[in-house]
Every structure is written in C-alpha cells, then in structure tokens.
Amino acid sequence: MLNKQALNGIKVLDIGHYIAGPYASKLMADMGAEVIKIEPPWGEAGRTMSPFANDDPNIENSLPHFYLNSNKLGITLNLKSSEGKKIFCELVADTDIVVENYSPDTLSNLGLDYDQLKLINPEIILVSISNFGQTGPYRNYKATEIIEYAMGGLMGIFGAYDKEPIKHALHQSQIKAGTNAANAALMAMYWKQANGQGQHIDISIQECIAYGLRDTTSNYTYTGGVRRRQPNHSGDLTRIRQVEDGFILPNPNVNTSRGLNWETVANFIGSTELLSDKFSTPTSRLENAEELGEILDRSYGHQKKFETFYNAHELRFIYGIILTPEEVLQNPQYLHRDFFVDVVHPTAGAIKFPGAPFKMSETPAQYLKVSPTLGEHTKDIICGRLNRTNNELSQMKATEII
C-alpha cells in the first residue's frame, strides 16, 4: 500500500515559506511525491506562525507549520552562499519541480532564476507564487491576505451593503494559490512527460482571488450590471438566525419549482402568526419585513439547532448549522468519511489535521511522516545523495551554509 500513490517517483524541491508555497508542495507530498523542504539555517518564516504546541512559541512548535510540511524531508541550506547554491543546483539536476513563493526578483538576484535552472536541468518545472505575478506594474508590491482579497475584487461583494466589506477568515487566498500551483505543476508534469520540456509557472495570488469572481465580471462585461453587497433586512428568510444553542442558516426554498407553499413553511417554523395574509406572498413579506423578522427571531429562538437542521432536511429544505470547532470534529459526515487525520507528533503529541480535499479510490493520500525538524535530513541528503563527507558537512555548519 505504501507505494500505491499517484505521484510516486516525482521529485520536488520546496524552497517556499509561510503558506502558499509549502501548501502546494504538501498537496503533492501527500499523494506520494518526494518533497525536500529547503530552509535557511535559521528556519523559514512559517515556523513562527501561531498557535504553538504546548503554548511554547519556538520554531519547532508551530502547528500550522506541522500541517503544511507533513510528508516532507527537510534540510537547511543558505542559498546566499556559493556552496549553498552549488548544492541546490546539484539537487535541481535530479528534480522534476521546484516550488517557490518569494518576491519576483529574489531568485534572479541569487542567480537561480528559471533561465539558470533550465541550463542545469532542461526539463525542470519552476513554480513561482507571488502577490501579483512575475510581471506587471504591481509585481514588486507587498501585500497581506486582506489586501489580496481587496485587490482581487472579491472583498467588494462580501458583507452587508450598509457596512464595510469583509473577507473570509484565515489565509484562504494563500491556500487557493497553493492549490492552483499544485494543479499547474502537475499539468506541466504531464506536458513534460509527453514532450520532454519543462516550463516556468507564474501564479498571481491576486488572480487566484479574481478567478472566483466569475459571473460578477461577466455580468458587468455583457450588461453593465455591478454586483454590490446585498441588503439583509430582518425579514430575509435566509438570514442567519440565533437559536437556543447557537446559530442556523435557514433556507426554506419558498420560491422553488417544487411548489412549496407558505403554509408549509409557517408550520415548520412553528408560528401561527406567519399564516397571516401579511406574509402569504413574496411581495407582502417584503412589505412587512421588519415584523416578519421579529416573528422569525422569536420562533427560532427557542429551537435546538441540530433538531431544526434534521427536521428541515426531512422536508428537503436547505438548512445549515454554524458549527463550532468542537462540533466540526464531531460531525457525523466528517467522521463517516474519515476526513480528519490523527497524527502523533514528537513535540505536539496527538493532533488532528484536515485530510486531503478529495478522495481517490485507488491511490489515496497517505500521511506517513510528520513535518521535519529544522535540518532533520540535511546529513542524509547532502552526504548520502551528494557524496559530501562528514568533515565537509561540519565545515558547512561552521560557516552557516547549513
């Protein structure tokens, strides 16, 4: 079973940092690719991301770093040193894919850009992820997660119309860019195997966000219509409602082709007040939205979220629950599909990670190695594969090459 993975035999060098680059190579590592993570001797920036195991903020305790770098080998190498560059180039000679997410001029300044790498290995695939891409007037601009959302255009349509725009939580643009990078790398591998040619892949995080606009941009292009953040009046039937033990997302499908009538909805919600003619049509419900909202709040307020959720789906209503982190881990759908993976880490102990975002019947993702400690495999790779001696390794360590 250990050899039955889709990407067995593919070799990847990950010189990325933080989230996007490491996530791209993680997706490949989980499917069987051999990924060597290369960090500077002091460790890459992702090791400083919180939260930390045992609330101990050191470079070997970052939980996000554990997740992003599982199934990888890890070495340290100072790419600013001549010997470090030489070792890196020796690794490139026997590698399929290099993943990086530095600012656009970084590899060029190191003398390690695509033009140089393909002289060493004409079939090399270089994946470059950056804020705005390798070209264009913004190529050297710095950005944060919220700036990528704003500049990508997606943030402009998120949130209530009478409040400031908002973005998704956490680092979704980084994850999206990493996903696109992994997909593109494997497309390039297919081309390489068919034609013997490598290539340089240019991933713009801004464009990864803008790609999600889809109908918003096409609607403007063809009709001139501008999608805006929507009003959310209190009588909106799909508005988040508070219940006795949390929050639900109701959607009773009132106006679908199934022909559900308002009486069915009113009886499900459990309020005779809703049977009034004031609420019997979409127009009347809008005209009496504030009163409708007050009734809905009262009616939902005494309900239990899971009971309401399951009863709603018996009627084929589209209802959801706002799950807490604890409820996510205990959710029967996730449990049935074994989505979360149990990992025993030497520092953190037993932890759970999200599993692969897809399931493959014959070559599933496997979690065989925890993330490497800083430089854990440096000796194995530099001495074992590149034939350096122990004395040479000691000299490199003394001069901060590793």
Side-chain angles (χ1 to χ4, degrees):
M1 185 67 175
L2 296 185
N3 292 322
K4 198 176 181 183
Q5 288 190 274
L7 302 185
N8 278 356
I10 292 179
K11 297 181 179 180
V12 181
L13 295 181
D14 172 8
I15 55 173
H17 63 293
Y18 197 44
I19 296 173
Y23 185 68
S25 63
K26 171 192 166 53
L27 290 173
M28 292 185 274
D30 290 348
M31 301 307 296
E34 181 194 75
V35 177
I36 300 176
K37 181 176 182 64
I38 300 177
E39 303 180 64
W42 48 89
E44 61 108 334
R47 290 182 175 275
T48 65
M49 288 189 293
S50 62
F52 296 96
N54 306 314
D55 288 330
D56 180 10
N58 71 60
I59 62 173
E60 299 295 359
N61 281 356
S62 167
L63 292 175
H65 188 269
F66 291 167
Y67 169 70
L68 291 166
N69 295 285
S70 59
N71 281 332
K72 301 179 186 179
L73 304 172
I75 71 172
T76 55
L77 201 58
N78 187 348
L79 295 180
K80 294 182 178 180
S81 68
S82 58
E83 184 63 19
K85 293 176 188 177
K86 181 179 179 181
I87 291 171
F88 177 71
C89 290
E90 290 178 40
L91 292 171
V92 167
D94 188 34
T95 291
D96 298 299
I97 300 167
V98 175
V99 178
E100 63 98 5
N101 59 314
Y102 294 114
S103 57
D105 287 330
T106 301
L107 289 191
S108 178
N109 291 339
L110 291 172
L112 298 173
D113 59 11
Y114 178 65
D115 288 339
Q116 294 300 314
L117 297 186
K118 70 179 181 180
L119 293 176
I120 302 164
N121 181 349
E123 296 185 358
I124 195 68
I125 296 164
L126 174 62
V127 181
S128 295
I129 308 169
S130 60
N131 292 324
F132 299 102
Q134 301 294 305
T135 62
Y138 296 173
R139 67 185 294 268
N140 291 318
Y141 287 6
K142 295 181 180 297
T144 60
E145 178 76 10
I146 195 169
I147 288 174
E148 297 290 8
Y149 260 73
M151 300 294 287
L154 200 57
M155 192 169 161
I157 60 174
F158 279 8
Y161 78 107
D162 58 342
K163 296 181 179 179
E164 66 276 6
I166 59 175
K167 63 172 283 294
H168 287 128
L170 307 176
H171 304 282
Q172 303 302 333
S173 74
Q174 299 281 324
I175 296 297
K176 179 63 174 173
T179 302
N180 288 347
N183 290 340
L186 296 179
M187 293 178 201
M189 275 298 301
Y190 184 85
W191 174 258
K192 169 184 170 178
Q193 290 172 351
N195 298 281
Q197 296 176 335
Q199 58 186 298
H200 188 191
I201 298 169
D202 177 2
I203 303 286
S204 160
I205 301 177
Q206 180 193 30
E207 291 171 2
C208 291
I209 292 297
Y211 187 77
L213 292 172
R214 293 185 300 272
D215 57 309
T216 301
T217 50
S218 59
N219 187 46
Y220 175 77
T221 301
Y222 290 104
T223 71
V226 177
R227 179 176 173 179
R228 302 187 186 279
R229 298 187 301 284
Q230 300 299 307
N232 189 8
H233 56 75
S234 63
D236 184 349
L237 295 174
T238 62
R239 180 175 181 166
I240 295 174
R241 300 286 172 181
Q242 186 167 5
V243 294
E244 185 176 314
D245 56 347
F247 295 88
I248 60 170
L249 277 165
N251 187 343
N253 307 8
V254 177
N255 300 313
T256 68
S257 60
R258 296 183 67 243
L260 294 176
N261 59 47
W262 180 248
E263 183 178 354
T264 302
V265 175
N267 289 334
F268 172 76
I269 293 173
S271 172
T272 57
E273 294 177 272
L274 295 177
L275 295 173
S276 167
D277 289 343
K278 291 188 292 186
F279 310 119
S280 61
T281 67
T283 300
S284 64
R285 288 192 289 274
L286 186 59
E287 290 173 345
N288 298 283
E290 294 306 315
E291 183 179 356
L292 173 60
E294 293 173 1
I295 295 172
L296 292 173
D297 283 340
R298 289 199 305 272
S299 300
Y300 281 120
H302 68 275
Q303 297 181 19
K304 300 285 190 179
K305 60 186 179 183
F306 284 100
E307 180 180 347
T308 299
F309 171 74
Y310 288 117
N311 289 339
H313 282 278
E314 287 294 322
L315 293 172
R316 303 297 292 165
F317 290 166
I318 306 172
Y319 271 54
I321 305 170
I322 310 298
L323 296 175
T324 65
E326 180 181 14
E327 290 166 342
V328 167
L329 291 173
Q330 296 172 351
N331 184 264
Q333 182 67 17
Y334 288 129
L335 292 174
H336 178 84
R337 291 174 57 81
D338 295 321
F339 175 68
F340 289 98
V341 178
D342 291 305
V343 176
V344 178
H345 193 276
T347 301
I351 51 180
K352 285 185 181 289
F353 286 147
F358 48 82
K359 291 188 178 295
M360 300 179 70
S361 63
E362 301 303 318
T363 56
Q366 296 181 33
Y367 299 87
L368 307 175
K369 294 192 290 288
V370 298
S371 60
T373 56
L374 184 62
E376 180 177 346
H377 304 101
T378 300
K379 180 177 180 179
D380 293 341
I381 290 171
I382 293 182
C383 295
R385 298 192 188 184
L386 303 182
N387 299 316
R388 298 301 198 277
T389 66
N390 287 333
N391 284 339
E392 289 174 313
L393 200 70
S394 297
Q395 291 173 0
M396 284 188 273
K397 189 167 185 177
T399 54
E400 297 185 335
I401 295 169
I402 60 173

